[in-house]
Amino acid sequence: MAVCDSCIVDAVNVTPAQVAQITGALGTTSDFERDKGVCGSCSQSKTVIRAK
């Protein structure tokens, strides 16, 4: 399932800047992809991250 940074912030106790840093780094790995899509949690079209 793809999830946006905002929903990750709402689910865990970290700042938006921390989430952006983590998801940005994960998006550069071969295990995750980060691009435009529909968030599986809030159903909004945003930049999301998902496991490959």
Side-chain angles (χ1 to χ4, degrees), residues 13-49:
N13 190 24
V14 295
T15 67
Q18 290 171 311
V19 170
Q21 183 179 19
I22 293 164
T23 57
L26 287 173
T28 65
T29 69
S30 61
D31 295 326
F32 292 89
E33 64 183 5
R34 184 167 165 79
D35 55 10
K36 295 288 184 183
V38 177
C39 176
S41 183
C42 68
S43 301
Q44 294 186 20
S45 181
K46 298 181 172 186
T47 300
V48 295
I49 191 161

